[in-house]
């Protein structure tokens, strides 16, 4: 690392004002601050000085995402084996198949998103903002495995430009960038984001896999099956895997089921949640409030249930779809969520409740977490405003009394 530091110090003058590569100063600064903590600190306006900057924070979040990402890669190969005549042999071949299927999506996401941020930074002569380090990893994890690369590129470009840069960049965006990407994909290309043909990859990947599709194959997710069974008798309904075998709560928890790449395994998501909570990156108040809000609303629907999805247990609701992933990695976004301590409880409870309401009352859209978080992104500043206003009024009353 010392040799790299010395090399950067040697070439740095070329990127500074007056150097022959000064036009690329923001690009150099972005790479330098990614590799090494900056030796510049704030001189005023802060109470604590330390070496933790936003790049280091983003790195911790990416580390927290890795368990869900790696499990998702294996699950892609596992589902492929179930859907075909099993030409992938052993754990590593199954994982490599999934790895090669996901890698191009990660590359496209980062290439498009970071490319736009580099261009904007150059035009504005500002430092490159690092917020997309996390968004670039989230985007491939919340889409079906068979989402075309060009769709991901178009949606990512739209989200970075219209949900982030137009608001001023990292720290100023109102909506979660990764969720805006998914929303754009869902409403612009619905056939590629839902149904029973996009969540299980049956084609070859770089020459691996393939084979004949089994006769009983169905790639619908458990939530998709519940949505399609809106009029089916409650007592006779049960979710099944791609071969028609029954699924239960333990299967939802482990995550070897069809679904978006990084959202299926609650075990892997819990590992990420532990990392975020132990490092203080995410708010436990927001995170747990989402689960409480979802469980309470699911319990209410259980009491009045007249359809299959209404009678799904609160635990199963929390395990299925993108609920757990959204609660841990999306709802806790410090930029777009509530920032007051009381506001975090309110925000989280409403996110969880609305996610279940959308999931239950709209059979055509069985996954409600994306819309619930985007909706509450809109109201987060209003929640904080009333929390602060209430605190001010309470303190004024105490002053009058004394």
């Amino acid at each position: 690392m010392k040799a790299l530091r010395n090399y950067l110090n040697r070439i740095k003058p070329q990127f500074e004002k007056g150097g022959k590569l000064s036009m690329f100063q923001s690009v150099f600064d972005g790479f330098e601050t990614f590799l090494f903590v900056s030796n510049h600190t704030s001189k005023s306006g802060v109470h604590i000085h330390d070496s933790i900057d936003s790049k280091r924070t983003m790195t911790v979040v990416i580390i927290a995402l890795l368990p869900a990402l790696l499990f998702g890669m294996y699950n892609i190969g596992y589902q492929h084996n179930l859907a075909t005549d099993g030409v992938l042999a052993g754990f590593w071949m199954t994982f490599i198949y999934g790895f090669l299927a996901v890698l191009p999506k990660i590359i496209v996401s980062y290439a498009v998103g970071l490319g736009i941020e580099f261009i904007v930074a150059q035009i504005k002569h500002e430092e490159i903002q690092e917020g997309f380090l996390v968004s670039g990893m989230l985007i491939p994890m919340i889409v079906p495995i068979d989402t075309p690369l060009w769709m991901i590129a178009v949606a990512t470009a739209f989200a970075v430009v219209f949900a982030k840069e137009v608001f001023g960049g990292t720290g100023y965006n109102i909506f979660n960038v990764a969720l805006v990407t998914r929303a754009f994909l869902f409403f612009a290309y619905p056939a590629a984001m839902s149904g029973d043909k996009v969540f299980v990859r049956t084609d070859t990947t770089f020459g691996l896999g393939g084979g004949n599709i089994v006769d009983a194959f169905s790639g619908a997710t458990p939530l998709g099956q519940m949505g399609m069974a809106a009029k089916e008798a409650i007592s006779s309904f049960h979710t099944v895997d791609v071969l028609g075998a029954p699924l239960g709560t333990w299967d939802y928890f482990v995550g070897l089921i069809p679904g978006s790449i990084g959202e299926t395994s609650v075990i892997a998501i819990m590992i990420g949640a532990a990392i975020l909570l132990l490092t203080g990156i995410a708010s436990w108040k927001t995170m747990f409030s989402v689960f409480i809000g979802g469980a309470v609303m699911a319990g209410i629907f259980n009491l009045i249930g007249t359809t299959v999805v209404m009678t799904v247990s609160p635990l199963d609701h929390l395990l299925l779809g993108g609920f757990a992933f959204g609660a841990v990695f999306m709802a806790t976004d410090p930029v777009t969520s509530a920032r007051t301590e009381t506001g975090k409880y309110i925000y989280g409870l409403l996110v969880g409740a609305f996610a279940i309401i959308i999931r239950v009352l709209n059979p055509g859209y069985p996954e409600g977490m994306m819309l619930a978080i985007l909706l509450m992104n809109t109201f987060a500043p209003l929640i904080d405003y009333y929390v602060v206003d209430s605190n001010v009024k309470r303190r004024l009353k105490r002053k009058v009394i004394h």
Side-chain angles (χ1 to χ4, degrees), residues 10-306:
R10 269 200 321 273
I11 65 173
K12 188 172 184 177
Q14 301 179 37
F15 293 91
E16 294 177 339
K17 189 175 182 179
K20 61 182 181 179
L21 298 176
S22 59
M23 62 184 299
F24 298 111
Q25 182 179 3
S26 60
V27 177
F28 176 83
D29 179 76
F31 281 110
E32 182 185 28
T33 54
F34 178 79
L35 294 170
F36 297 96
V37 176
S38 174
N39 58 5
H40 297 287
T41 59
S42 302
K43 303 300 181 183
S44 62
V46 296
H47 300 286
I48 300 175
H49 296 270
D50 61 23
S51 61
I52 302 299
D53 59 9
S54 54
K55 284 188 177 65
R56 256 41 67 178
T57 299
M58 299 298 174
T59 301
V60 173
V61 179
I62 291 174
I63 292 172
L65 285 166
L66 287 179
L69 176 65
L70 296 175
F71 183 93
M73 291 175 174
Y74 175 79
N75 187 45
I76 290 165
Y78 179 83
Q79 298 301 322
H80 175 83
N81 275 343
L82 290 181
T84 62
D85 45 17
V87 296
L88 297 174
F91 172 86
W92 286 111
M93 288 302 295
T94 302
F95 174 80
I96 291 172
Y97 176 88
F99 171 80
L100 293 176
V102 176
L103 183 61
K105 293 174 172 53
I106 297 175
I107 293 173
V108 167
S109 173
Y110 275 119
V112 173
L114 288 179
I116 292 173
E117 294 211 343
F118 274 48
I119 292 170
V120 171
Q122 289 297 124
I123 293 173
K124 297 168 68 175
H125 302 289
E126 295 178 351
E127 294 181 0
I128 294 173
Q129 299 170 343
E130 50 281 321
F132 196 78
L133 290 177
V134 170
S135 298
M137 186 65 75
L138 285 171
I139 290 169
M141 296 177 70
I142 61 176
V143 299
I145 184 56
D146 270 350
T147 306
L149 296 179
W150 69 267
M151 288 186 186
I152 294 176
V154 171
T156 300
F158 175 88
V160 173
V161 173
F162 292 103
K164 184 177 182 182
E165 296 302 338
V166 297
F167 290 100
T170 300
Y172 297 97
N173 50 296
I174 299 173
F175 301 103
N176 184 287
V177 176
L179 285 177
V180 170
T181 304
R182 197 185 194 288
F184 180 91
L185 286 168
F186 181 82
F187 292 109
Y189 311 105
M193 297 299 293
S194 59
D196 60 355
K197 298 180 180 179
V198 298
F199 291 102
V200 177
R201 193 182 192 96
T202 56
D203 293 333
T204 60
T205 298
F206 293 99
L208 293 179
N212 298 316
I213 300 176
V214 296
D215 293 336
F217 167 70
S218 172
T221 65
L223 278 178
Q225 296 171 39
M226 293 174 186
M228 292 184 288
K231 297 181 180 180
E232 188 172 326
I234 295 172
S235 59
S236 63
F237 176 80
H238 60 271
T239 57
V240 296
D241 65 11
V242 298
L243 297 180
L247 294 173
T249 300
W250 178 251
D251 299 296
Y252 307 152
F253 182 64
V254 174
L256 290 173
I257 56 177
S260 295
I261 294 169
E263 295 180 348
T264 62
S265 175
V266 178
I267 295 176
I269 293 168
M270 286 175 61
I271 296 172
I275 294 172
L276 294 181
L277 294 176
L278 290 174
T279 55
I281 300 297
S283 168
W284 67 267
K285 297 175 182 178
T286 301
M287 192 182 297
F288 287 108
S289 294
V290 175
F291 286 106
I292 293 171
V296 170
M297 185 54 63
I300 293 173
F301 277 117
N302 281 178
L303 295 176
I304 60 174
T306 57

